């Protein structure tokens, strides 16, 4: 059993999430899988919130995909203190691939309105397309990049 404190683990997860360093994060999550849903910042963000807010890259996509695979679908609905989910953070960052990864795992994310007006506009448009799976893929590119 590790003698690390909650604060020390939060710092390690924060750093690995900001860098999208999956190997570092994975080592922590394998010690305690529940950490995937824990707040690691004073504003209530999880590792997924931080990774989702990064600009698109294969490195970010890989981190988010691996993390989402470790989570239960309802874990993706966790909100920070501003009522934003990780999906809202990805929408604001215009990270289409990260949005797709999360929506594939939990389509209910499209119905959650957060505290960020910019993300809410994008989420309303995404929600309008949720009944049309073929159009979600096309709609995401238009909505996220079109704002």
């Amino acid at each position: 059993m590790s003698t690390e404190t909650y604060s020390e683990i939060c710092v390690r997860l924060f750093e690995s999430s900001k860098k999208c360093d999956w190997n570092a994060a994975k080592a922590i999550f394998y010690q305690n899988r529940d950490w995937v849903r824990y707040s690691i910042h004073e504003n209530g963000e999880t590792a997924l919130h931080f990774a989702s807010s990064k600009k698109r890259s294969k490195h970010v996509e890989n981190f988010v995909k691996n993390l989402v695979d470790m989570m239960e679908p309802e874990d993706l609905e966790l909100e920070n203190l501003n009522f934003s989910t990780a999906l809202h953070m990805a929408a604001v960052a215009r990270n289409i691939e990260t949005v797709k990864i999360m929506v594939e795992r939990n389509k209910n994310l499209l119905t959650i309105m957060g505290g960020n007006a910019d993300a809410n506009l994008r989420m309303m448009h995404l929600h309008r397309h949720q009944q049309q799976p073929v159009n979600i893929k096309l709609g995401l590119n238009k909505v996220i990049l079109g704002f």
Side-chain angles (χ1 to χ4, degrees), residues 44-96:
E45 281 93 359
T46 64
L48 186 59
H49 280 90
F50 283 109
S52 299
S53 67
K54 305 292 283 180
K55 291 188 187 241
R56 182 182 182 268
S57 74
K58 285 291 181 190
H59 193 64
V60 171
E61 290 170 29
N62 181 57
F63 186 94
V64 169
K65 175 75 172 121
N66 287 322
L67 184 53
V68 166
D69 285 347
M70 292 186 78
M71 302 174 89
E72 296 298 324
E74 60 271 11
D75 294 340
L76 279 68
E77 298 176 18
L78 293 170
E79 297 176 334
N80 65 15
L81 296 179
N82 297 326
F83 306 104
S84 294
T85 65
L87 185 68
H88 295 122
M89 309 286 271
V92 170
R94 302 170 190 260
N95 191 335
I96 298 164

Side-chain angles (χ1 to χ4, degrees), residues 2-65:
S2 174
T3 58
E4 277 186 294
T5 66
Y6 174 79
S7 295
E8 291 168 334
I9 292 170
C10 286
V11 168
R12 287 180 48 217
L13 273 176
F14 174 80
E15 292 299 325
S16 62
S17 299
K18 289 298 275 185
K19 296 175 187 171
C20 290
D21 181 348
W22 179 245
N23 289 329
K26 178 174 63 173
I28 297 167
F29 295 135
Y30 282 157
Q31 289 176 14
N32 183 348
R33 197 174 179 112
D34 290 336
W35 280 103
V36 298
R37 68 181 127 281
Y38 281 21
S39 167
I40 60 171
H41 190 265
E42 63 190 15
N43 198 43
E45 281 93 359
T46 64
L48 186 59
H49 280 90
F50 283 109
S52 299
S53 67
K54 305 292 283 180
K55 291 188 187 241
R56 182 182 182 268
S57 74
K58 285 291 181 190
H59 193 64
V60 171
E61 290 170 29
N62 181 57
F63 186 94
V64 169
K65 175 75 172 121

Side-chain angles (χ1 to χ4, degrees), residues 71-133:
M71 302 174 89
E72 296 298 324
E74 60 271 11
D75 294 340
L76 279 68
E77 298 176 18
L78 293 170
E79 297 176 334
N80 65 15
L81 296 179
N82 297 326
F83 306 104
S84 294
T85 65
L87 185 68
H88 295 122
M89 309 286 271
V92 170
R94 302 170 190 260
N95 191 335
I96 298 164
E97 294 305 317
T98 298
V99 167
K100 289 178 188 177
I101 291 166
M102 288 186 275
V103 170
E104 282 179 16
R105 183 68 189 247
N106 183 343
K107 291 190 181 7
N108 188 50
L109 290 171
L110 295 172
T111 67
I112 301 172
M113 300 307 270
N116 182 315
D118 189 38
N120 285 338
L121 289 172
R122 292 188 179 114
M123 296 306 296
M124 284 188 287
H125 187 80
L126 293 174
H127 177 66
R128 197 170 62 207
H129 293 285
Q130 79 174 349
Q131 302 302 321
Q132 303 165 3

